Amino acid sequence: MGLNYNERVELHCHTNCSRMNGVSDSGDIFRYANKEGMKAIAFTDYDNILVYPEVQTFAGEKYGNIKPIYGIELLVAEDIISPVEGMSKVECNGMPSYYVLVLVRNEQGLKNLYQIINESIDINRPCISWSRLLELKEGLLIGSGCSVGEVFHSIMKGLPDVIVTEIASRYDFIEVQPVTNNLWLIDSDKASNIKDINDIKEINLKIIDLGKRLNIPIVATSDAHYVTKDNHLSRAVLMNAKGWLDEAKGDLDIRTTKEMLEEFSYLPIEKAQEIVIDNTNMIANMIESIEPIPNQYYCVKIAKADETLRNICEKELNSKYMMNGIVPEYVKNRLNNELHNIEVNGFAEIYLHYADIIKKNNLKPSQYSLKGLGASSIVAYLLGISKVDPLSKRCPLYVEFFAGLDGNKEPRFDLIVDENAYEQVRGTLNNLDGVGVYVWATKNIRPTETRINAWIEEFEDNNDCVLVNGERQQVIDDLRNVVVANGRRLPGTFFIVP
């Protein structure tokens, strides 16, 4: 039977949003996958999902023939001390932790992934216990990760087979990477028993045998941190800047099907095809096409929202605008005009939710402010969301200013909460009517060219080399969009998933 070299699916790929670890942006990854004929590719950055909106845009506008698989490489801690310790560079709530690969299978899985990230927002990076991960596992597929994952590490440490089997049995699929990925382990103080590539190959063979015994699919993944080997130098500079000198060794590019089959040429051809082509496609086919950010308008539904909103506004209208026992007609007309547009277009819930956030948190006027075109609404003013009276002589604002000429423009609000009230607000979000889960937004920080040049100079000093002009410019181009940090709490915004 002939092999189709364009059938492989990459299930483990990092972008430049991957905690200063990946180099390539999602557009470069899509272009490469398209060139190689891949029908799907997974985006699995360390600890975050910052790349999701960009991935969705590329998939929708340019690469509809490629299914994006949304995922994350996430830290997991044991509920009790694990026999496999020291795999990651951080602890999770004081417990040893390790990375697992999480792939989103459907919309329920997406909500559960959002919940996982939100529950771990208070620590240095997202991390969850195994027991909680299993509680939120619906709609998710859990893979074993790379060489700092639990399965690889337990075999490398020579743990008893009964323990290794127990560890491996809780995964939906188990990964193996090319031997060249893990050259950094050779003679590393983190892997004293890895002396050459044959030792790495032996671990892969044991993993493959383990999958056969447990009837768990083994998948060959690139654990790619850049698109092609041309980007290797850029990541080496990045790793040097982090002080991770050993991990700059090895190849972490996206392998083509032909390249991956060659990487596993020490296996029988049928087994190589199984883990490289058949099983990766099987996992991809289990995953539904989803949109992390809906392209159309959805609103959390509240019973009798229109009636509730109108009653609140009419009550407040009298207290704020009545003069000599009469509310002026132009004020009534403005309110009725806005309420009509809101009711016709189904926007009442938006206003009520913002009012609910302020009311349930007992926020004082000094603790929040409202920006955005919606702040000029008389309805927002009467609800106590906005502090701006749109009918005051100082700032008369017409309804068309924020609602559009036809009154059907979706209201846009930016509710800015005082930093001291962040945790208080966060604690009430899941208790709002109709809210399934909320997701905190972040502000990404990328390096300046001055900073990148400093990284290059440090790399040259440490490696006794000089980058030529072409190499230097390639590194600058590759690293200028790397996310070096994200302001998880700033500006402290969120979006709601019904």
Side-chain angles (χ1 to χ4, degrees), residues 132-246:
R132 185 59 176 147
L133 178 60
L134 293 177
E135 290 174 356
L136 293 171
K137 187 178 180 295
E138 182 181 355
L140 300 172
L141 293 173
I142 312 299
S144 62
C146 59
S147 59
V148 294
E150 187 183 25
V151 174
F152 187 100
H153 210 82
S154 65
I155 294 175
M156 184 178 70
K157 289 191 69 173
L159 296 184
D161 184 67
V162 64
I163 294 179
V164 174
T165 300
E166 180 182 356
I167 288 170
S169 62
R170 55 187 174 185
Y171 291 95
D172 296 309
F173 61 93
I174 300 174
E175 296 179 65
V176 287
Q177 282 89 32
V179 170
T180 50
N181 276 46
N182 294 317
L183 296 179
W184 67 278
L185 290 171
I186 297 175
D187 293 326
S188 168
D189 58 2
K190 300 180 182 67
S192 58
N193 57 338
I194 303 293
K195 302 301 182 184
D196 55 39
I197 60 173
N198 289 322
D199 292 329
I200 303 173
K201 188 183 299 182
E202 186 63 28
I203 293 175
N204 279 353
L205 289 170
K206 290 180 179 179
I207 291 175
I208 293 169
D209 179 67
L210 188 63
K212 181 179 180 180
R213 288 191 284 117
L214 295 174
N215 196 30
I216 297 175
I218 302 294
V219 296
T221 64
S222 298
D223 185 20
H225 287 63
Y226 44 83
V227 172
T228 70
K229 290 180 174 59
D230 293 339
N231 309 118
H232 176 90
L233 177 61
S234 299
R235 185 172 184 272
V237 171
L238 195 62
M239 293 300 97
N240 184 84
K242 296 178 70 172
W244 294 6
L245 307 185
D246 286 345

Side-chain angles (χ1 to χ4, degrees), residues 309-329 331-333 335-336 339 378-379 381-383 389 391:
L309 182 63
R310 183 172 287 274
N311 289 340
I312 294 173
C313 288
E314 289 178 350
K315 179 181 178 181
E316 292 298 321
L317 191 70
N318 294 330
S319 66
K320 292 184 182 294
Y321 288 101
M322 184 174 286
M323 295 180 293
N324 299 321
I326 299 174
V327 175
E329 282 300 314
V331 176
K332 292 181 180 178
N333 291 338
L335 176 60
N336 285 329
L339 287 174
I378 191 173
V379 172
Y381 176 61
L382 293 174
L383 287 174
D389 180 357
L391 301 181

Side-chain angles (χ1 to χ4, degrees), residues 23 36 77 128 165 199 255 270 298 315 350 407 456 476 495:
V23 169
E36 296 301 327
I128 194 169
T165 300
D199 292 329
R255 282 21 173 243
E270 294 82 5
Y298 291 95
K315 179 181 178 181
I350 297 177
I456 292 174
I476 292 172
F495 66 89

Side-chain angles (χ1 to χ4, degrees), residues 230-429:
D230 293 339
N231 309 118
H232 176 90
L233 177 61
S234 299
R235 185 172 184 272
V237 171
L238 195 62
M239 293 300 97
N240 184 84
K242 296 178 70 172
W244 294 6
L245 307 185
D246 286 345
E247 295 187 25
K249 302 173 184 176
D251 298 325
L252 294 174
D253 54 306
I254 304 174
R255 282 21 173 243
T256 65
T257 304
K258 182 178 180 180
E259 289 170 341
M260 191 65 92
L261 288 169
E262 290 173 351
E263 292 277 8
F264 288 93
S265 60
Y266 55 88
L267 299 176
I269 185 61
E270 294 82 5
K271 176 57 72 172
Q273 180 178 348
E274 176 188 317
I275 69 173
V276 171
I277 300 174
D278 300 342
N279 288 351
T280 57
N281 275 272
M282 179 183 69
I283 297 296
N285 290 337
M286 295 169 64
I287 293 170
E288 299 174 9
S289 295
I290 61 171
E291 293 182 339
I293 302 174
N295 287 319
Q296 64 190 85
Y297 173 72
Y298 291 95
C299 189
V300 177
K301 296 301 179 184
I302 298 175
K304 298 182 179 181
D306 293 340
E307 180 182 338
T308 301
L309 182 63
R310 183 172 287 274
N311 289 340
I312 294 173
C313 288
E314 289 178 350
K315 179 181 178 181
E316 292 298 321
L317 191 70
N318 294 330
S319 66
K320 292 184 182 294
Y321 288 101
M322 184 174 286
M323 295 180 293
N324 299 321
I326 299 174
V327 175
E329 282 300 314
Y330 76 93
V331 176
K332 292 181 180 178
N333 291 338
R334 170 62 179 262
L335 176 60
N336 285 329
N337 187 9
E338 281 196 29
L339 287 174
H340 172 76
N341 291 337
I342 290 169
E343 290 167 3
V344 167
N345 293 288
F347 294 150
E349 288 90 349
I350 297 177
Y351 288 85
L352 290 174
H353 268 303
Y354 277 96
D356 208 17
I357 291 171
I358 292 171
K359 181 180 178 181
K360 285 190 174 180
N361 288 282
N362 196 27
L363 293 179
K364 300 175 182 177
S366 61
Q367 291 182 298
Y368 73 93
S369 61
L370 192 71
K371 296 183 179 180
L373 294 178
S376 59
S377 161
I378 191 173
V379 172
Y381 176 61
L382 293 174
L383 287 174
I385 303 172
S386 173
K387 304 169 189 175
V388 177
D389 180 357
L391 301 181
S392 69
K393 293 181 179 180
R394 291 182 301 171
C395 54
L397 298 169
Y398 298 103
V399 65
E400 291 81 8
F401 178 67
F402 71 91
L405 293 176
D406 298 323
N408 61 354
K409 188 175 180 181
E410 181 183 337
R412 297 290 182 180
F413 296 117
D414 295 321
L415 183 62
I416 313 300
V417 179
D418 183 85
E419 183 175 358
N420 295 327
Y422 281 176
E423 291 304 318
Q424 179 184 344
V425 171
R426 180 188 167 207
T428 64
L429 290 179

